[in-house]
Amino acid sequence: MAVQLNHTIILTHDKVRAARFLADILGLPEPKPAYGFFLAVRLANDVTLLYEGTDGEITSQHYAFLVTEAEFDEILAQLRTRHLEMWADPAKATPGEINTNDGGRGVYFHDPDGHFLEVVTRPYSGLE
């Protein structure tokens, strides 16, 4: 059996703001309504992120996105233009920097609800 991740639900206080934030930062198409109460962001590998609004507490989750070198440059420019905090590492010990792990580039940043997002140009060794 070839198991693949199809979709996941991301809780947010404002699903429109959060879904548009991700789509804008990553250069993805405009989010679309799904199933009447989700807002969907579809990724190139057919995984869909379904944003759901809540008034309750949100526990930060981590989402990592694999992008091309050119896409990384565009995303990094978006982060800098928006003056968003970013780090080269998950411990946030290297603010304002990117990493060059495994011969690629990577950066971490938060979305509006505190989810910890990561963009990398190469999968980390051992995760392929």
Side-chain angles (χ1 to χ4, degrees), residues 57-88:
E57 186 176 334
I58 294 174
T59 300
S60 177
Q61 298 292 316
H62 175 67
Y63 300 95
F65 302 93
L66 182 62
V67 300
T68 66
E69 290 288 340
E71 290 166 333
F72 187 90
D73 289 335
E74 293 171 12
I75 293 164
L76 189 59
Q78 281 281 340
L79 296 173
R80 289 179 173 155
T81 297
R82 294 172 184 232
H83 304 287
L84 295 175
E85 285 187 281
M86 58 182 171
W87 302 269

Side-chain angles (χ1 to χ4, degrees), residues 86-127:
M86 58 182 171
W87 302 269
D89 63 298
K92 301 179 187 176
T94 52
E97 298 181 28
I98 66 169
N99 69 58
T100 55
N101 298 337
D102 291 311
R105 295 185 292 163
V107 68
Y108 295 80
F109 58 99
H110 287 286
D111 81 350
D113 289 288
H115 294 298
F116 203 37
L117 308 181
E118 177 183 11
V119 178
V120 296
T121 60
R122 294 226 171 98
Y124 294 133
S125 60
L127 297 178

